[in-house]
């Protein structure tokens, strides 16, 4: 297991503004709290060994069969289940990206090739070059792991380009983590029942801002998901998380983001951050902003903001391909973003 994720509030006292995880922190959960309080007696019994009722509900939402859905203890459990189901496979991982892909693949003895993420304007040629690289395929097959939208960059590989790559490489299983789908206006591939080589990861944790409950799911072809099901641990998803998921799916309209406003705010923050001496901001298709600071390290900046202002950012130095000067934020409200900007403008490092 890797250390150094976002939302490590347990390391600090009195964090008041959290930019460090890729969750939008301003949904009102009063209805969810009340529902869970009314269902607390459920903890006196075991949940379903596998949350099949919830899988049926999610399948209906996506116009799929229940065989095309696996509910997991967050999207992270899904990553480790897939790596286990395809143990000793060859895995291509585009970097920088969520570090758990590589960690899970190492745990299950994959042959790993890490490659830089294709730059804008050259996606198709670069992806084709990567996918045609000489790999043995391993005993578990050949997988490509994509976080799309990507963490930590916020980039989205255009749908048409990715669909072309998927269709051109039917021998490769595309594991596409769409945990940040709710935070982009770009069109994504997703999973449909006529695509035999896509496994898609989804995160209710991110969509509904409930990281403490750990709830996610996989969609994909029944032939691949049956392989993953064999690796599941019984009762991996607790009953309170299942209750929360049922409630949230029934109240999706209460959790609708104004994406136009969020993207406009991201653009404002990016422009103002870029105007601060020593800070470079990279383009993003989501509310995530990857930044680089000169003259100090991200760890030093993080400690300064946390200890002096109760603000938490993500030290991004442990992403492969990034160094100790990279940090990441997830845009929040206008007032919170402005507060951070004002502190950074006045900070002397």
């Amino acid at each position: 297991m890797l250390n150094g994720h976002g939302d490590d509030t347990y390391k600090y006292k009195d964090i008041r503004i959290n930019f460090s995880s890729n969750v939008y922190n301003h949904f009102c959960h009063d209805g969810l709290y009340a529902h869970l309080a009314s269902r607390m007696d459920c903890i006196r019994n075991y949940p379903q060994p596998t949350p099949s009722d919830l899988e049926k509900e999610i399948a209906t939402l996506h116009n799929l069969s229940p065989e095309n859905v696996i509910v997991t203890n967050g999207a992270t459990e899904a990553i480790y289940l897939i790596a286990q189901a395809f143990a000793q496979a060859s895995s291509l991982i585009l970097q920088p990206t969520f570090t758990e892909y590589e960690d899970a693949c190492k745990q299950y003895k994959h042959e790993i090739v890490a490659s830089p993420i294709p730059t804008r304007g050259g996606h198709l040629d670069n992806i084709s070059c990567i996918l045609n690289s000489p790999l043995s395929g391993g005993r578990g097959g050949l997988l490509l792991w994509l976080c799309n939208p990507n963490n930590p960059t916020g980039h989205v590989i255009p749908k048409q380009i990715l669909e072309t790559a998927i269709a051109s490489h039917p021998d490769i299983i595309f594991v596409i983590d769409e945990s940040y789908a709710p935070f982009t206006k770009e069109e994504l591939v997703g999973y449909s029942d006529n695509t035999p080589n896509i496994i898609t990861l989804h995160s209710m944790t991110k969509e509904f801002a409930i990281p403490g409950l750990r709830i996610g799911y996989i969609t994909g072809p029944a032939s691949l998901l049956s392989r993953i099901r064999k690796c599941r641990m019984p009762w991996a998803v607790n009953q309170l998380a299942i209750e929360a998921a049922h409630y949230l799916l029934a109240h999706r309209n209460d959790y609708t983001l104004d994406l136009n406003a969020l993207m406009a705010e991201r653009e404002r923050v990016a422009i103002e951050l870029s105007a601060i001496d020593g800070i470079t901001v990279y383009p993003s298709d989501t509310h995530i902003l990857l930044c680089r600071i000169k003259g100090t390290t991200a760890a030093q900046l993080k400690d300064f903001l946390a200890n002096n202002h109760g603000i938490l950012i993500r030290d991004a130095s442990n992403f492969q391909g990034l160094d100790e000067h990279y940090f990441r934020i997830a845009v929040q409200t206008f007032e919170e973003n402005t507060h951070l900007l004002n502190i950074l403008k006045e900070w002397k490092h």
Side-chain angles (χ1 to χ4, degrees):
M1 183 181 73
L2 298 174
N3 292 315
H5 296 87
D7 204 22
D8 50 345
T9 54
Y10 51 86
K11 294 182 180 179
Y12 300 94
K13 295 180 179 178
D14 301 323
I15 294 298
R16 295 183 296 279
I17 308 177
N18 188 354
F19 295 95
S20 72
S21 74
N22 295 328
V23 170
Y24 183 74
N25 295 308
H26 296 282
F27 289 128
C28 176
H29 285 316
D30 290 349
L32 176 61
Y33 298 156
H35 173 74
L36 292 180
S38 73
R39 297 290 293 134
M40 286 303 294
D41 62 331
C42 74
I43 67 173
R44 298 167 66 91
N45 300 100
Y46 279 92
Q48 291 178 310
T50 60
S52 54
D53 289 346
L54 181 56
E55 288 173 351
K56 291 176 184 176
E57 186 173 351
I58 291 171
T60 300
L61 178 69
H62 289 279
N63 296 313
L64 297 172
S65 166
E67 289 80 18
N68 300 122
V69 178
I70 297 176
V71 169
T72 56
N73 186 356
T76 300
E77 188 202 10
I79 294 166
Y80 284 83
L81 283 175
I82 294 166
Q84 181 181 3
F86 297 91
Q88 300 184 58
S90 293
S91 279
L92 298 157
I93 303 174
L94 300 188
Q95 302 281 11
T97 196
F98 189 47
T99 50
E100 299 295 345
Y101 309 143
E102 185 172 355
D103 187 60
C105 288
K106 285 179 178 177
Q107 185 169 323
Y108 293 102
K109 296 180 170 51
H110 289 224
E111 176 192 10
I112 300 170
V113 172
S115 179
I117 289 177
T119 57
R120 291 169 185 267
H123 289 98
L124 185 58
D125 290 342
N126 285 340
I127 286 181
S128 296
C129 178
I130 293 165
L131 297 183
N132 290 326
S133 62
L135 282 173
S136 67
R139 290 174 56 187
L142 182 57
L143 280 64
L144 172 66
W145 298 76
L146 286 173
C147 192
N148 197 50
N150 187 51
N151 171 27
T153 65
H155 290 171
V156 172
I157 297 177
K159 181 180 180 181
Q160 183 177 358
I161 288 170
L162 192 48
E163 285 181 334
T164 299
I166 292 165
S168 300
H169 297 84
D171 56 322
I172 295 175
I173 298 170
F174 286 72
V175 182
I176 305 177
D177 185 347
E178 293 189 354
S179 292
Y180 304 105
F183 304 105
T184 185
K185 296 172 68 176
E186 302 299 317
E187 194 174 4
L188 304 177
V189 171
Y191 168 72
S192 62
D193 56 12
N194 61 353
T195 313
N197 60 327
I198 293 180
I199 299 172
T200 306
L201 278 58
H202 310 262
S203 173
M204 295 184 72
T205 291
K206 301 295 189 300
E207 182 176 2
F208 297 105
I210 50 166
L213 281 173
R214 314 305 307 136
I215 190 84
Y217 58 96
I218 305 168
T219 55
S223 59
L224 296 180
L225 266 56
S226 65
R227 188 167 170 175
I228 298 167
R229 280 193 172 87
K230 294 176 183 177
C231 301
R232 297 173 91 177
M233 181 179 73
W235 307 300
V237 184
N238 74 77
Q239 189 59 38
L240 279 181
I242 292 171
E243 289 287 345
H246 283 302
Y247 175 89
L248 292 167
L249 291 175
H251 296 83
R252 293 177 70 90
N253 291 339
D254 296 337
Y255 291 84
T256 302
L257 275 173
D258 185 340
L259 271 179
N260 288 328
L262 188 63
M263 294 302 99
E265 179 62 5
R266 178 215 61 204
E267 197 61 24
R268 179 186 79 91
V269 173
I271 290 170
E272 294 201 30
L273 271 176
S274 298
I276 298 173
D277 185 43
I279 295 181
T280 301
V281 182
Y282 297 89
S284 173
D285 299 310
T286 71
H287 69 318
I288 302 168
L289 287 174
L290 180 65
C291 309
R292 193 173 191 275
I293 190 164
K294 293 181 181 178
T296 190
T297 67
Q300 290 169 327
L301 176 61
K302 176 183 175 181
D303 284 344
F304 166 79
L305 290 171
N307 294 326
N308 294 280
H309 298 280
I311 293 174
L312 192 60
I313 63 170
R314 170 68 151 91
D315 175 359
S317 60
N318 66 339
F319 287 95
Q320 189 175 121
L322 304 185
D323 62 29
E324 68 272 16
H325 298 286
Y326 284 88
F327 68 95
R328 188 200 68 202
I329 64 170
V331 168
Q332 300 296 322
T333 66
F334 176 90
E335 292 76 16
E336 289 172 336
N337 300 330
T338 300
H339 186 52
L340 174 63
L341 288 166
N342 288 339
I343 291 169
L344 291 177
K345 288 173 184 176
E346 297 175 2
W347 184 49
K348 304 299 182 182
H349 53 84

